[in-house]
Amino acid sequence: MSAWTRDEMMTIAAARLLADGMVCFVGIGLPGAACNLARLTHAPGLVLIYESGTIGTRPSVLPLSIGDGELAETATCVVPLPEIFSDYLQAGRIDVGFLGAAQIDRFGNLNSTVIGDYAKPRTRLPGAGGATEIAAHAREVFIVMKATPRSFVPRLDFQTSGGHFPGRAVSGATGSGPAVVVTDVGMLRPQGPRNELALAATYPGIPAQEAVAAVGWPLAIASTVESIAPPAAAELEALRALEARTAAAHREPVRLPL
Amino acid sequence: MSAWTRDEMMTIAAARLLADGMVCFVGIGLPGAACNLARLTHAPGLVLIYESGTIGTRPSVLPLSIGDGELAETATCVVPLPEIFSDYLQAGRIDVGFLGAAQIDRFGNLNSTVIGDYAKPRTRLPGAGGATEIAAHAREVFIVMKATPRSFVPRLDFQTSGGHFPGRAVSGATGSGPAVVVTDVGMLRPQGPRNELALAATYPGIPAQEAVAAVGWPLAIASTVESIAPPAAAELEALRALEARTAAAHREPVRLPL
Amino acid sequence: MPKFLALRDAIRDHVADGACVALEGFTHLIPFAAGNEIIRQGRQQLHLVRMTPDLIYDQMIGAGCARRLTFSWGGNPGVGSAHRIRDAVEQGWPRPLELDEHTHAGMAAAYRAGAARLPFGMLRGYIGTDLPQHNARIGSVRCPYTGEEIAAVPALNPDVAILHAQRADRRGNVAITGITGAAREAALAAAKLVVTVEEVVEELPPAMNGIVLPHFVVTAIAHCPGGAWPSYAQGHYARDNGFYRRWDAIARDRAQFTAWIDRHVRGTADHHAFLASLRLAA
Amino acid sequence: MPKFLALRDAIRDHVADGACVALEGFTHLIPFAAGNEIIRQGRQQLHLVRMTPDLIYDQMIGAGCARRLTFSWGGNPGVGSAHRIRDAVEQGWPRPLELDEHTHAGMAAAYRAGAARLPFGMLRGYIGTDLPQHNARIGSVRCPYTGEEIAAVPALNPDVAILHAQRADRRGNVAITGITGAAREAALAAAKLVVTVEEVVEELPPAMNGIVLPHFVVTAIAHCPGGAWPSYAQGHYARDNGFYRRWDAIARDRAQFTAWIDRHVRGTADHHAFLASLRLAA
């Protein structure tokens, strides 16, 4: 087994946070890889819900979209999207919501809407999708993002989804907000009365200073910083096999339905 | 074919009112018989919807309840009950709602709730079920009831469902209210500015006086009273065969699931 | 993950005196065995919720389990009156029954709101009816866009919902086929969900868009074949229309009703014994 | 009863300039053929509605069909930006695009309200977000029972909804299997419903609890095999993930995009010719 990359460490660290039997609202990309890796390793009973309406899905490869056919085929059931948001998310039945974004601030607020001004944006991003209500109502929120000063910013251009924003407690949000931000240079957790994100765990060989340098605000360091164990051989093997299966599946040419 | 009974005439007269392709919200008992008779004779494309959630059902026998298994087996689809009420009835997608009741007044208002005082009733009846919103939102309402002075009353003990009540036009009801009351002694239709029910059609051999005597208020007679043709042999045959199949099916003993 | 329990234990653990309980299933899959077990265990002062309190609540109310009923239609479908419910309302026998009466559309909106954990449901409903004059819980809300007044009902969130279903798998996913009425909505609206099932299978058939209650919304499952009789379980057994008709005579008379409940329900240990005692009596 | 029409005629008869149109389907069963036909016929000033304006609206907006977009997520799923939508928002090319922006939960509530012909939908939503500051249509309503303030959205009732489905029967009942997103709700919310289908069959397989749009809610049906490509039709063909990736480069550049649309969409007579022209280019 070759040495691991930071992206692999990030995905494996995120996967380890998931306990068997948890109900996860999964996004695409890094969160999907982490959730499916957990399911294929230590948490076979993890319940993956995609906003497309698939509940308890068990794909053998990572989907490109959140609505690929394999998600439906391997699901316990497929329900209409409005039910996912009203009867599962809003009803408080999601243990962990996974989110990423273009920008995050020190309280775990997220921007996936615009860079620049809303009315005349420099960069128009895709928008909220399910994120706003996941951030509000999942019991806990796990954020997975690569850390750069451009994305970990002192001030968001637009707040798409609420982290530990002032007044969260009386906002009607029923979840407890971001519990952890998993990055490629360590993990941040909220601390103190204002729930400011602080470096709470480092990866082998990646010193705290690297995390501090990657974050665009003066990053606090938690009183105790956990040292994350390196990827185990079994973890790396499962992740690489998953990614290889995924790449092979996505390489397969699709015949035009003609 | 033996001579017809008044009950048969009533069911056949009601069935004749249904045009092919209409979408009907069907109740149990007389309405169910009329709708299914129409479907089996002149209106094969009649769409029968039961509040249990079965859409486009084609039972070969009349169900005892509105949720018998055959309704589900022969349906185009079975949807959750809330959808029937919100997305079909409330959305204005029902052409004809069939209703019966314990009491009716001269404006087609119906009582199926209590005889006597609501808080201390002499007779507690089953209640509204789907009737209140059928009366409000079906494009037209057809009422099928045997006429007696006890059921066709000057004043309801309780108004469960609205007919042509004062203020209907501004009440939020989207349907046009009762279009006809089919009884065993003739058919009543609303007329005049107040939409008071008047005798509008008589059956062969049943004079207008019989209808007047069976109704507990001074029954108006419409300016033109239609003479309904007697049951055709094919109609009687189809109705009797349906009732015979139904009786046979319901006689079949059900084994305890033991 | 739900617990797999004997029905006796599931009822003992999850249905407390005074609780708000919804036994749902619209004509189909009515959880009669669970209702009988509630009678057997002598539960009292329940707030019963059900769109169509038919025979199952006629039995429970006649047996003295309930103090309050939230409903929209109470009768013996296609047959006539629910005599025990009538007796409770008209004569207060065996005890008075408080009514929270709605229409089907109103109950459906209230269950849906409950399932979504919204505080109220809304509908274009309760038009042209005297019901709101007798039920202060029927209210209204004004549309913030059009100014229209729309009828409102408080969300229904029972302490426990009880359903009967065709099958569960070993993980506790519950699959239902056929008419569901508002059973799914009631199940998701309740704080706890107890399900009796015809069979427990290793793996459910592929569901795709079928109705499945995923295991994490289910509290307890009891394997209880025949648990919907005299209603039916699509694919397992048909509705016993004859029993619905015979019930009319049994329930019409207090003494005869009580004798029937004493002999067949209170006098049997469980649902299997109940069905056996009925077969013997037939 | 729906009419069975050629797609060309279905679009000509049911999609007018300036209309409010929802082409729905969440990742699955996206009605691309219908979108292409709207481009081919040069429709203008449309108010487009769709939860996830991905490639289909990237194409229609880039081709100049739209003046307004109601949506909750606009991108190329798993790939990145919807470049043509970005260009319209950022640079006003080929014409400015007015945004009515929501969250998925808000759009879902708005479609549901529309399907029920309620004037507004509600949700515990839009919490901790700047969206309401930029969209005056996001409002609130007070619960008449608890006094809580709940977010509200106006009902969505498009002039026409367009779906793609696996099959229709001869009477016009339309059956869908697999992921539906909010397609059913959008279909029932619209004044008219046009559906393209993979096949027309004599009789649909028994549906029981499957998803069927009964014929009386359908306005027109066009038989259009492959009509969801490059999205997919469960049981017929898979999602062409490669094309979604390739689209990124095509759409990044105005000239290249326009050349692609001119050649493959505007330069072909119908969907069959469109697919043939793509095969030729491959």
Side-chain angles (χ1 to χ4, degrees):
Chain A
M1 192 69 52
S2 69
W4 45 272
T5 68
R6 291 180 174 197
D7 279 5
E8 287 172 338
M9 182 73 248
M10 172 168 62
T11 300
I12 288 166
R16 287 178 187 162
L17 297 171
L18 296 169
D20 201 18
M22 276 182 169
V23 179
C24 298
F25 203 119
V26 192
I28 268 311
L30 299 173
C35 290
N36 279 292
L37 176 62
R39 190 177 58 78
L40 294 167
T41 54
H42 66 281
L46 204 63
V47 178
L48 306 189
I49 297 186
Y50 287 78
E51 66 192 16
S52 57
T54 57
I55 296 180
T57 185
R58 289 158 294 184
S60 63
V61 305
L62 296 174
L64 181 68
S65 79
I66 48 159
D68 281 20
E70 200 192 353
L71 296 179
E73 278 156 20
T74 63
T76 302
C77 59
V78 180
V79 307
L81 177 143
E83 283 178 22
I84 289 288
F85 282 94
S86 63
D87 300 353
Y88 288 89
L89 181 60
Q90 183 170 281
R93 296 187 182 276
I94 305 294
D95 294 318
V96 178
F98 266 95
L99 292 176
Q103 292 182 332
I104 182 172
D105 72 13
R106 70 180 71 193
F107 301 108
N109 300 305
L110 301 173
N111 174 20
S112 54
T113 302
V114 287
I115 305 297
D117 182 55
Y118 182 81
K120 190 74 193 142
R122 207 158 61 251
T123 307
R124 174 65 224 199
L125 304 166
T132 306
E133 281 77 21
I134 293 173
H137 297 310
R139 280 183 206 146
E140 290 189 300
V141 172
F142 291 2
I143 297 165
V144 189
M145 281 172 74
K146 288 205 206 192
T148 72
R150 273 189 57 200
S151 53
F152 283 60
V153 296
R155 217 184 119 69
L156 301 179
D157 290 45
F158 186 100
Q159 184 166 314
T160 309
S161 311
H164 298 289
F165 59 93
R168 180 180 176 105
V170 295
S171 67
T174 57
S176 57
V180 64
V181 181
V182 183
T183 81
D184 53 336
V185 290
M187 303 206 294
L188 319 185
R189 288 187 184 272
Q191 65 166 23
R194 292 172 71 214
N195 280 304
E196 182 173 330
L197 295 171
L199 184 68
T202 55
Y203 303 141
I206 306 178
Q209 300 94 283
E210 276 211 49
V212 170
V215 167
W217 68 81
L219 181 64
I221 311 286
S223 43
T224 54
V225 176
E226 193 190 348
S227 289
I228 301 290
E235 287 171 325
L236 269 184
E237 198 175 330
L239 176 57
R240 289 174 185 175
L242 174 62
E243 287 178 337
R245 279 199 305 279
T246 299
H250 288 189
R251 256 197 316 274
E252 245 172 64
V254 171
R255 269 169 41 99
L256 282 172
L258 185 66
Chain B
M1 192 68 52
S2 68
W4 45 273
T5 67
R6 291 179 175 199
D7 280 5
E8 287 171 338
M9 183 72 248
M10 171 168 63
T11 300
I12 289 167
R16 287 177 187 164
L17 297 172
L18 296 169
D20 201 17
M22 276 181 169
V23 179
C24 298
F25 203 120
V26 192
I28 269 310
L30 299 174
C35 291
N36 280 291
L37 176 61
R39 190 178 58 78
L40 294 167
T41 53
H42 66 280
L46 204 64
V47 178
L48 306 189
I49 297 186
Y50 287 78
E51 67 193 15
S52 57
T54 56
I55 295 180
T57 185
R58 289 156 294 185
S60 62
V61 305
L62 296 174
L64 182 67
S65 79
I66 48 159
D68 282 20
E70 201 194 352
L71 296 179
E73 279 156 20
T74 63
T76 303
C77 59
V78 180
V79 306
L81 177 142
E83 284 179 20
I84 289 288
F85 282 95
S86 63
D87 300 353
Y88 288 90
L89 180 59
Q90 183 170 280
R93 295 187 184 278
I94 304 293
D95 294 318
V96 177
F98 266 94
L99 293 175
Q103 292 182 331
I104 182 171
D105 72 11
R106 69 180 73 194
F107 302 107
N109 299 304
L110 300 173
N111 174 20
S112 54
T113 302
V114 288
I115 305 296
D117 182 54
Y118 182 81
K120 192 72 193 142
R122 207 158 61 249
T123 306
R124 174 66 224 197
L125 304 166
T132 306
E133 281 78 19
I134 293 173
H137 297 310
R139 281 185 204 143
E140 290 189 300
V141 172
F142 291 1
I143 297 166
V144 189
M145 282 172 74
K146 288 205 209 192
T148 70
R150 273 187 57 201
S151 53
F152 284 60
V153 297
R155 217 185 118 70
L156 302 178
D157 289 46
F158 186 99
Q159 184 166 315
T160 308
S161 311
H164 298 288
F165 59 92
R168 179 180 178 107
V170 294
S171 67
T174 57
S176 57
V180 63
V181 181
V182 182
T183 81
D184 54 335
V185 290
M187 304 206 293
L188 319 186
R189 289 188 184 271
Q191 66 166 25
R194 294 170 71 214
N195 281 304
E196 182 173 331
L197 295 172
L199 184 69
T202 55
Y203 302 140
I206 306 178
Q209 299 93 287
E210 275 211 51
V212 170
V215 167
W217 67 81
L219 180 65
I221 310 288
S223 43
T224 53
V225 176
E226 193 191 347
S227 289
I228 303 289
E235 288 170 324
L236 268 183
E237 198 176 330
L239 176 57
R240 288 174 185 175
L242 173 64
E243 288 178 338
R245 280 199 307 279
T246 299
H250 290 188
R251 255 198 317 272
E252 246 172 63
V254 171
R255 270 169 41 101
L256 282 172
L258 185 66
Chain C
M1 214 67 40
K3 282 187 186 163
F4 285 82
L5 297 174
L7 178 55
R8 181 185 297 123
D9 300 331
I11 297 299
R12 186 198 59 214
D13 294 356
H14 299 295
V15 181
D17 281 350
C20 176
V21 185
L23 290 87
E24 268 298 345
F26 197 90
T27 311
H28 181 216
L29 293 173
I30 301 176
F32 272 95
N36 283 345
E37 185 58 31
I38 290 171
I39 294 172
R40 222 173 257 129
Q41 296 193 17
R43 283 297 174 285
Q44 302 268 329
Q45 299 288 327
L46 298 177
H47 172 189
L48 294 179
V49 180
R50 178 169 167 75
M51 294 191 66
T52 53
D54 39 30
L55 270 53
I56 186 171
Y57 278 12
D58 212 38
Q59 293 167 355
M60 292 172 69
I61 287 165
C65 301
R67 69 177 158 84
R68 182 174 165 82
L69 176 65
T70 295
F71 79 112
S72 42
W73 189 90
N76 183 340
V79 177
S81 284
H83 296 291
R84 295 295 97 227
I85 296 174
R86 279 189 58 179
D87 203 9
V89 174
E90 295 168 13
Q91 310 291 336
W93 190 93
R95 57 197 58 188
L97 185 67
E98 197 188 319
L99 297 187
D100 170 30
E101 183 165 4
H102 291 272
T103 64
H104 278 357
M107 285 281 287
Y111 272 140
R112 263 200 181 170
R117 299 303 186 271
L118 288 169
F120 71 102
M122 59 179 168
L123 64 154
R124 297 186 185 275
Y126 299 104
I127 294 167
T129 175
D130 293 341
L131 271 174
Q133 296 165 34
H134 299 276
N135 189 345
R137 295 165 68 81
I138 300 166
S140 72
V141 65
R142 196 169 288 282
C143 171
Y145 304 100
T146 64
E148 283 169 277
E149 191 111 338
I150 307 283
V153 285
L156 278 169
N157 287 110
D159 295 320
V160 56
I162 307 181
L163 303 187
H164 186 72
Q166 280 101 343
R167 51 187 71 80
D169 69 15
R170 301 263 169 219
R171 295 186 57 74
N173 299 299
V174 171
I176 301 178
T177 304
I179 289 168
T180 58
R184 197 195 67 85
E185 290 76 8
L188 292 176
K192 290 191 254 177
L193 171 60
V194 174
V195 186
T196 55
V197 295
E198 289 296 325
E199 41 174 347
V200 178
V201 297
E202 202 51 46
E203 190 93 38
L204 293 175
M208 196 59 80
N209 303 102
I211 300 160
V212 178
L213 294 162
H215 60 72
F216 58 92
V217 310
V218 185
T219 313
I221 294 175
H223 179 215
C224 186
W229 182 92
S231 82
Y232 71 108
Q234 192 99 41
H236 289 262
Y237 45 91
R239 191 171 191 268
D240 194 339
N241 285 327
F243 182 81
Y244 277 81
R245 287 214 185 77
R246 292 197 297 281
W247 181 254
D248 188 73
I250 297 167
R252 213 173 261 277
D253 177 79
R254 289 178 187 171
Q256 203 179 337
F257 164 79
T258 304
W260 191 91
I261 291 284
D262 280 346
R263 176 173 172 193
H264 297 297
V265 180
R266 295 199 181 103
T268 56
D270 59 18
H271 191 63
H272 189 266
F274 163 80
L275 292 176
S277 116
L278 283 172
R279 186 164 59 180
L280 211 67
Chain D
M1 215 68 42
K3 281 187 188 164
F4 285 83
L5 297 174
L7 178 55
R8 181 185 298 123
D9 299 332
I11 297 300
R12 185 198 60 214
D13 293 355
H14 300 295
V15 180
D17 281 351
C20 176
V21 185
L23 289 85
E24 269 298 345
F26 197 90
T27 310
H28 181 214
L29 293 174
I30 301 176
F32 272 96
N36 284 345
E37 184 58 31
I38 289 171
I39 294 172
R40 221 173 259 129
Q41 296 193 16
R43 282 298 172 285
Q44 302 268 330
Q45 299 289 328
L46 298 178
H47 172 189
L48 294 178
V49 180
R50 178 170 167 75
M51 295 191 66
T52 54
D54 39 29
L55 270 52
I56 186 172
Y57 279 12
D58 213 36
Q59 294 166 355
M60 291 171 70
I61 288 165
C65 301
R67 68 178 158 85
R68 182 175 164 81
L69 176 66
T70 294
F71 78 113
S72 43
W73 189 91
N76 183 340
V79 177
S81 283
H83 296 290
R84 296 295 96 227
I85 295 175
R86 276 187 59 178
D87 204 8
V89 174
E90 295 169 12
Q91 309 293 336
W93 190 93
R95 57 198 58 190
L97 185 67
E98 196 188 320
L99 297 186
D100 171 30
E101 182 164 4
H102 292 272
T103 65
H104 278 356
M107 284 281 286
Y111 273 140
R112 263 199 182 171
R117 299 300 187 273
L118 288 169
F120 71 101
M122 60 178 167
L123 65 154
R124 296 186 185 276
Y126 299 103
I127 294 167
T129 176
D130 293 340
L131 270 176
Q133 295 165 37
H134 299 276
N135 189 344
R137 294 166 68 80
I138 300 166
S140 71
V141 65
R142 195 169 289 283
C143 171
Y145 304 101
T146 65
E148 283 168 278
E149 192 111 338
I150 308 283
V153 283
L156 278 169
N157 287 109
D159 295 320
V160 56
I162 306 181
L163 303 187
H164 187 72
Q166 282 100 342
R167 52 187 69 81
D169 69 14
R170 301 264 169 218
R171 294 187 57 73
N173 298 298
V174 172
I176 301 178
T177 305
I179 290 169
T180 58
R184 198 196 65 83
E185 291 76 7
L188 292 177
K192 289 190 255 176
L193 171 60
V194 173
V195 187
T196 55
V197 296
E198 290 294 328
E199 40 174 348
V200 177
V201 297
E202 201 50 46
E203 190 93 36
L204 293 175
M208 196 61 80
N209 303 102
I211 299 160
V212 178
L213 294 162
H215 60 74
F216 57 91
V217 310
V218 185
T219 312
I221 295 175
H223 180 217
C224 186
W229 182 91
S231 84
Y232 70 108
Q234 192 99 41
H236 289 260
Y237 45 91
R239 191 171 190 270
D240 194 339
N241 285 327
F243 183 81
Y244 277 83
R245 288 212 185 79
R246 290 197 299 280
W247 181 253
D248 188 73
I250 297 167
R252 214 174 262 277
D253 178 79
R254 289 179 188 172
Q256 204 178 338
F257 164 80
T258 304
W260 190 93
I261 291 283
D262 280 346
R263 174 173 173 195
H264 298 297
V265 180
R266 293 199 182 104
T268 56
D270 58 19
H271 190 63
H272 189 267
F274 163 80
L275 292 175
S277 118
L278 282 171
R279 185 164 62 182
L280 210 66

